[in-house]
Amino acid sequence: MRTLLTGGTVVSMDPAVGDLDRGDVLIEDGVIVEVAERIEAPDAEVIDASDRIVMPGFVDNHRHNWQTAFRGIGADWTFGEWAAAMHGTVKPHYTPEDVYVATLVGRLEALHSGITTMLDWYHVAQGPEHEDAAVAALRDAPARSVFCLGAGWAAPHSVDDDIRRVRSALPGEGLVTMAWGLRGADDTGMDALARELELAAELGLRTSLHTGSDGTQRPIADMHKHGLLRATTTFVHGNGLSDEELRMLADAGSSISISPDVELKMGFGAPMTGRALAAGLRPTLSIDVVPSVAGDMFSAMRVAFAAQRGLDGGLRSRDLLEFATADAAASCGLDARTGSITPGKDGDIILLCTDDLTVFPVTDPVGTVVSAGHAGLVDTVLVAGRVVKRDGALVDVDLATLKARLLASRNRIATAAGVPLDGTWNPQPATN
């Protein structure tokens, strides 16, 4: 099957391909085979990309998708309040059905906003049935996903057996693959962390790890001392890490995922964007939790851009777009398959309207996407060459039924947990 995207403004995110004011993209059997000003393909299905920006789909490399049912409820919460609410109060009441519908609707919402690849950082930790429900949901979404299986919040126990079991079901091919969400040495100790990293390497899994410092801790230096920094690990947040530790990550080839809206709102500190770049790290962007922030990458780019430009002014709009596409794909180990419009890569592509009044007229496509883009511009989405959103609507998805299931799930959990849904919930952080 051949598909020709024709007449669009191509923002390839590949320096070798460049950008085209007017260009065509040819996809064959799900793979990009040609990018040029004009392509003749009389036997191809033609998608008119006139008045559209044609760019690679976004990559969100860190989102806790199981929290989708409680979207927006924590807009005013601190980090401690979020942890008390989501992990301490509502999570114990999650059934496999709750995990399934939250994961599926969350993944579809992200796809709807142009996120073709997502790393779903799972830490419900209620049992194998819940894990299987999350995997099933990701498989039922027509998107590229990484199921990042982690233990529960600050869990003392290992998930080795779960990792092996799920890995056998996700061997690394197809649209849904797997990673391991590590607990960190503060929860496990260095010996356990070393053992988990060794098992991850044995199973061929990349890893992701939440980290940060209040200035008194040196988590990355401690890992470096024990020889535990890996090129296959993405460190999430990183607020408060020293410049020396950031250079250690760069030297190890590790990546860092920044969730700018959550970090600023919940009191983590300033996003590490500029300091990571100065240390030789290419930052990537992620959403984190939708109870507190918007689920689209446009919002994340805009917050990260404003926060860093307010500090030193050195960041450019194309940098943000690279963080959210090519760099994030590399952090997931998927840069050979996605993240740019490059011949040989899969056709993970989005078309953004340029005739919408909120962005018209588009003079600088990259600057417009970063400074003024929003989910309402996402007209068409392709994943591995398959059209999964057309004319602004997801294809072959029964949203009415899924919305009803998600509302029923949220209401049941809230009732079981005894929490209000009228905006008055004021969760109390745990005290030591």
Side-chain angles (χ1 to χ4, degrees):
M1 177 179 176
R2 283 154 54 98
T3 303
L4 180 66
L5 312 177
T6 182
T9 299
V10 178
V11 177
S12 74
M13 305 312 296
D14 180 342
V17 174
D19 296 346
L20 301 173
D21 291 336
R22 189 266 177 226
D24 294 351
V25 179
L26 181 61
I27 302 168
E28 185 171 341
D29 296 329
V31 177
I32 300 165
V33 295
E34 188 178 358
V35 184
E37 290 186 358
R38 294 189 183 274
I39 298 172
E40 295 297 326
D43 58 338
E45 175 194 0
V46 175
I47 296 178
D48 184 2
S50 302
D51 297 320
R52 300 289 184 266
I53 294 171
V54 180
M55 60 169 284
F58 295 114
V59 179
D60 176 359
N61 66 359
H62 160 239
R63 186 187 303 215
H64 304 292
N65 224 12
W66 61 270
Q67 301 175 31
T68 301
F70 289 89
R71 186 187 302 277
I73 198 171
D76 300 325
W77 290 347
T78 64
F79 174 71
E81 290 167 338
W82 165 83
M86 297 310 300
H87 285 279
T89 304
V90 304
K91 187 174 74 174
H93 299 281
Y94 267 66
T95 67
E97 160 65 12
D98 299 320
V99 171
Y100 175 86
V101 70
T103 301
L104 179 53
V105 174
R107 188 64 193 91
L108 290 173
E109 175 266 321
L111 190 63
H112 181 65
S113 69
I115 295 172
T116 53
T117 299
M118 175 196 286
L119 184 142
D120 188 348
W121 219 111
Y122 171 98
H123 52 10
V124 178
Q126 302 289 72
E129 297 83 1
H130 293 69
E131 297 164 1
D132 293 345
V135 171
L138 294 177
R139 282 177 158 164
D140 286 347
R144 193 178 305 278
S145 300
V146 181
F147 179 62
C148 184
L149 176 56
W153 182 256
H157 60 279
S158 172
V159 291
D160 292 13
D161 292 341
D162 303 79
I163 291 288
R164 290 187 178 94
R165 188 185 66 82
V166 177
R167 179 58 165 162
S168 67
L170 292 174
E173 301 174 354
L175 288 180
V176 181
T177 54
M178 187 180 175
W180 189 343
L182 300 174
R183 292 170 290 166
D186 51 343
D187 293 324
T188 67
M190 287 294 174
D191 289 344
L193 180 57
R195 181 182 52 75
E196 292 184 351
L197 283 167
E198 183 178 351
L199 178 57
E202 177 188 326
L203 297 175
L205 295 176
R206 297 184 67 88
T207 55
S208 182
L209 173 62
H210 295 84
T211 192
S213 174
D214 61 4
T216 63
Q217 307 143 313
R218 286 172 56 80
I220 303 305
D222 290 343
M223 290 182 66
H224 174 71
K225 179 180 178 181
H226 287 81
L228 298 181
L229 296 182
R230 301 284 185 272
T232 51
T233 300
T234 297
F235 291 85
V236 180
H237 303 311
N239 308 81
L241 295 178
S242 68
D243 291 343
E244 179 190 13
E245 288 178 294
L246 291 174
R247 288 192 293 271
M248 291 175 183
L249 293 182
D251 290 343
S254 305
S255 54
I256 187 166
S257 175
I258 293 169
S259 309
D261 205 343
V262 160
E263 293 165 12
L264 288 166
K265 184 176 290 182
M266 289 192 182
F268 291 13
M272 302 294 285
T273 318
R275 291 182 55 216
L277 284 170
L281 280 168
R282 292 296 296 177
T284 63
L285 298 181
S286 61
I287 305 303
D288 200 351
V289 290
V290 297
S292 298
V293 303
D296 66 278
M297 195 58 71
F298 301 99
S299 299
M301 289 191 297
R302 196 148 47 243
V303 172
F305 198 20
Q308 187 59 43
R309 290 280 289 191
L311 292 175
D312 63 18
L315 211 58
R316 308 293 294 179
S317 55
R318 188 173 290 271
D319 291 323
L320 274 298
L321 211 56
E322 289 173 353
F323 300 163
T325 55
D327 292 331
S331 76
C332 293
L334 294 171
D335 46 318
R337 300 179 65 182
T338 192
S340 65
I341 300 180
T342 301
K345 291 191 180 184
D346 289 356
D348 296 354
I349 296 174
I350 60 176
L351 276 59
L352 309 180
C353 298
T354 61
D355 52 357
D356 188 282
L357 282 178
T358 59
V359 294
F360 183 85
V362 173
T363 305
D364 177 352
V366 172
T368 299
V369 170
V370 173
S371 66
H374 55 84
L377 301 178
V378 182
D379 174 77
T380 303
V381 177
L382 296 91
V383 176
R386 174 189 172 191
V387 177
V388 298
K389 181 178 182 181
R390 192 189 299 270
D391 298 328
L394 293 173
V395 176
D396 297 330
V397 175
D398 184 357
L399 285 179
T401 298
L402 287 174
K403 287 178 180 179
R405 288 172 65 182
L406 188 67
L407 283 176
S409 169
R410 183 202 65 181
N411 294 344
R412 187 201 61 77
I413 294 169
T415 299
V419 299
L421 295 174
D422 59 1
T424 62
W425 188 12
N426 184 28
Q428 298 301 305
T431 57
N432 295 326

